[in-house]
Each structure stands twice: as structure tokens, then as C-alpha cells.
Amino acid sequence: MIRTTFDAVTEELEPGVLLVRLSGEIDIATTDFAAESIRAAVAPPARLVLIDVSAVTFCSSAGLGNLVEARNLAGQHNITLALVGVGRPVDRPLSVTGLGGQFRIYADVEEARRELP
């Protein structure tokens, strides 16, 4: 049996501003948990959702699907969405698929908070 590790923690930084910290591997075994965490955050009354992927060690096409779903939900609800801490495990699949240009990406939470409403 192959076991993957994944965790998602959501924190409210201030009213309407949520930080979703994803860690571990986002793959077919963990995509449902990732989706649940993201859907719960990317919904009114949130106005800004930051998805911190700095601790993600692997991101499969299923993980990319989670991020695309987050982007689409944010658009439907007029929520600003950004990725923070994008390292090689997430940057590589975003770049290879051409999806990187469809996300606001910041080095860290502090930079995103300075630049986004």
C-alpha cells in the first residue's frame, strides 16, 4: 500500500481574508481532501484567499485541477485568489501546462498582503 501525506490548514488572517496552507503531496489519493479545503475557503464572505503551497512536495495533474477549481470558484464569487510560496513541485507543472500565467503568484504571504486589496 502506498501512503501519501497531505494536510490543509485554513486560517483567517482578518475578516474576509483567508490563508489556506497546503502541505505534502497533492495527488489522486489526496485531491478530494484538497478540494474540500479549498471549496470551504473560496466562498463568501471571503474577499481574498491566499493558497500557500510552499510546503507542497508533489503536485500531480489532480493537484493542478484543485488549483484551477479554486481559480474558477474565486471568479464566480468575485474573490481575489493568489498562490504564495510556489516552489519547484508546483511551479514545474504550472509552467509545463501553461497554467502559471492564469494565477496571481507571490513569493510569500507578506508580499501578497501588501499588493492585494
Side-chain angles (χ1 to χ4, degrees), residues 38-54:
I38 290 168
R39 284 184 202 125
V42 185
R47 61 178 170 75
L48 171 62
V49 176
L50 305 175
I51 300 178
D52 183 345
V53 293
S54 61

Side-chain angles (χ1 to χ4, degrees), residues 50-51 53 67 81-87 90-91 94-95 99-108 111-112 115-116:
L50 305 175
I51 300 178
V53 293
L67 298 179
L81 178 91
L83 303 179
V84 297
V86 176
V90 176
D91 182 53
L94 284 175
S95 297
L99 290 171
Q102 297 183 22
F103 291 91
R104 295 176 187 201
I105 298 176
Y106 296 92
D108 54 40
E111 179 186 35
E115 296 189 20
L116 294 172

Side-chain angles (χ1 to χ4, degrees), residues 27-69:
D27 58 18
I28 194 68
T30 61
T31 190
D32 289 342
F33 182 38
E36 287 175 27
S37 301
I38 290 168
R39 284 184 202 125
V42 185
R47 61 178 170 75
L48 171 62
V49 176
L50 305 175
I51 300 178
D52 183 345
V53 293
S54 61
V56 170
T57 56
F58 177 77
C59 183
S60 72
S61 59
L64 288 180
N66 290 137
L67 298 179
V68 169
E69 180 185 17

Side-chain angles (χ1 to χ4, degrees), residues 9-30:
V9 177
T10 301
E11 173 185 356
E12 186 172 39
L13 301 178
E14 66 181 65
V17 179
L18 299 176
L19 173 64
V20 181
R21 294 182 192 273
L22 304 180
S23 62
E25 300 177 6
I26 309 174
D27 58 18
I28 194 68
T30 61

